[in-house]
């Protein structure tokens, strides 16, 4: 069954720690994206990658980092520089960068304690 | 700046009571408009893509339409299982990256 897998579903982090959220897809999609979702706000783009070994900053990249070493994988690291990291994080993929639909993972809820 | 506004923020319907959700947009160079359904604590699930004014798409009790300034998601005779948040997104621009902007969603509750 093709799809996108995010892990873990819930993540708790102490202030000052870096954490990495996993995103794996087996859809053979070129483009992958990380979004952040907060109550009352639309999804906001953190980073995107249109091809392996290349990625670009989105609208709210500060305090985050990514890598795209394999087509299937696009992990997101939330660093200690991110001032308000508690949120619901969504990973998505698209067949290509053009106007096709996105497929989303089930999300990771990160809470800073 | 691209803008997407969804209304109402929340909608409560009796089972069988048809209604419409609105997505109005201001973008330069629309490439596509997407509707997604999101259940609590889960990722959005794709419903429809509309590309040009006048286009319509249907799926079960849902029908999406598009004009030059807005899109409607019509829900006919809704059932409790249609309860979810419905998200609208627009993709616009040209060249190497076409920006996608999401609205804040309409939370639909269907009462038995």
């Amino acid at each position: 069954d093709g799809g996108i897998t995010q892990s873990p579903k819930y993540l708790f982090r102490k202030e000052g720690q870096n954490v990495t959220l996993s995103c794996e897809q087996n859809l053979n999609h070129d483009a992958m994206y990380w979004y952040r979702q907060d109550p009352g706000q639309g999804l906001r783009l953190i980073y995107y990658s249109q091809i392996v070994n290349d990625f670009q900053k989105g609208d709210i990249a500060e305090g985050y980092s990514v890598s795209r070493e394999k087509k299937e994988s696009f992990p997101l690291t939330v660093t200690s520089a991110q001032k308000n990291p508690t949120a619901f994080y969504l990973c998505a993929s698209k067949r290509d960068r053009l106007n096709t639909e996105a497929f989303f993972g089930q999300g990771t809820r990160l809470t800073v304690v | 700046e691209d803008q997407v506004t969804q209304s109402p923020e929340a909608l409560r319907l009796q089972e069988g009571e048809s209604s419409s959700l609105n997505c109005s947009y201001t973008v330069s160079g629309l490439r596509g408009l997407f509707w997604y359904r999101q259940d609590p604590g889960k990722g959005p699930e794709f419903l429809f893509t509309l590309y040009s004014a006048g286009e319509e798409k249907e799926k079960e009790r849902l029908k999406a339409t598009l004009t030059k300034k807005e899109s409607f998601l019509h829900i006919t005779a809704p059932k409790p299982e249609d309860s979810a948040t419905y998200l609208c997104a627009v993709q616009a621009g040209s060249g190497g990256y076409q920006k996608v902007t999401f609205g804040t969603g309409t939370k639909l509750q269907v009462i038995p």
Side-chain angles (χ1 to χ4, degrees), chain B residues 2-21:
Chain B
D2 296 344
Q3 287 193 331
V4 178
T5 304
Q6 291 190 247
S7 61
E9 288 187 13
L11 182 61
R12 194 175 184 191
L13 299 174
Q14 289 294 128
E15 184 172 1
E17 179 187 1
S18 301
S19 188
S20 295
L21 282 55

Side-chain angles (χ1 to χ4, degrees), chain B:
Chain B
E1 183 179 327
D2 296 344
Q3 287 193 331
V4 178
T5 304
Q6 291 190 247
S7 61
E9 288 187 13
L11 182 61
R12 194 175 184 191
L13 299 174
Q14 289 294 128
E15 184 172 1
E17 179 187 1
S18 301
S19 188
S20 295
L21 282 55
N22 178 262
C23 172
S24 62
Y25 60 90
T26 305
V27 298
S28 178
L30 178 71
R31 309 298 287 181
L33 184 143
F34 307 91
W35 282 99
Y36 294 89
R37 169 194 170 123
Q38 185 175 24
D39 293 305
K42 297 193 175 181
E45 176 187 344
F46 170 73
L47 293 173
F48 303 108
T49 307
L50 301 167
Y51 292 105
S52 57
E55 191 174 0
E56 298 182 351
K57 291 205 175 159
E58 287 188 67
K59 179 181 179 180
E60 297 180 356
R61 295 177 293 282
L62 301 177
K63 179 180 178 180
T65 62
L66 181 65
T67 72
K68 288 186 177 180
K69 293 295 183 186
E70 59 191 348
S71 176
F72 292 94
L73 185 65
H74 307 277
I75 304 177
T76 303
K79 298 182 177 182
E81 53 262 41
D82 294 322
S83 297
T85 295
Y86 291 84
L87 302 176
C88 170
V90 296
Q91 183 160 346
S94 59
Y97 178 64
Q98 297 173 7
K99 185 179 172 68
V100 177
T101 304
F102 281 83
T104 54
T106 293
K107 186 174 183 178
L108 174 66
Q109 184 182 16
V110 181
I111 312 298

Side-chain angles (χ1 to χ4, degrees), chain A residues 71-84:
Chain A
K71 188 175 187 177
E72 314 82 63
S73 179
F74 192 41
L76 173 74
T77 296
V78 184
T79 75
S80 57
Q82 169 48 233
K83 297 193 183 333
N84 186 20

Side-chain angles (χ1 to χ4, degrees), chain A residues 9 33 35 37 40-43 45 48 50 59 88 90 94 97-102 104-106, chain B residues 31-32 34 36 38 41-46 49 51 87 91 95-100 102-104:
Chain A
K9 187 172 176 61
Y33 305 81
Y35 290 93
Q37 188 173 37
Q41 297 194 46
L43 274 65
L45 182 66
Y48 66 97
Q50 296 182 1
D59 299 319
F88 190 51
L90 287 162
K94 293 174 64 173
R97 61 178 175 82
L98 300 178
N99 50 346
T100 55
E101 68 271 19
F104 285 84
Q106 290 302 290
Chain B
R31 309 298 287 181
F34 307 91
Y36 294 89
Q38 185 175 24
K42 297 193 175 181
E45 176 187 344
F46 170 73
T49 307
Y51 292 105
L87 302 176
Q91 183 160 346
Y97 178 64
Q98 297 173 7
K99 185 179 172 68
V100 177
F102 281 83
T104 54

Side-chain angles (χ1 to χ4, degrees), chain A residues 26-58:
Chain A
N26 60 3
L27 299 166
N28 199 33
H29 285 174
D30 284 327
M32 296 187 74
Y33 305 81
W34 275 105
Y35 290 93
R36 171 180 172 140
Q37 188 173 37
D38 295 285
Q41 297 194 46
L43 274 65
R44 292 183 291 167
L45 182 66
I46 304 172
Y47 267 97
Y48 66 97
S49 169
Q50 296 182 1
I51 198 168
V52 175
N53 292 322
D54 184 60
F55 51 83
Q56 304 295 328
K57 293 182 180 180

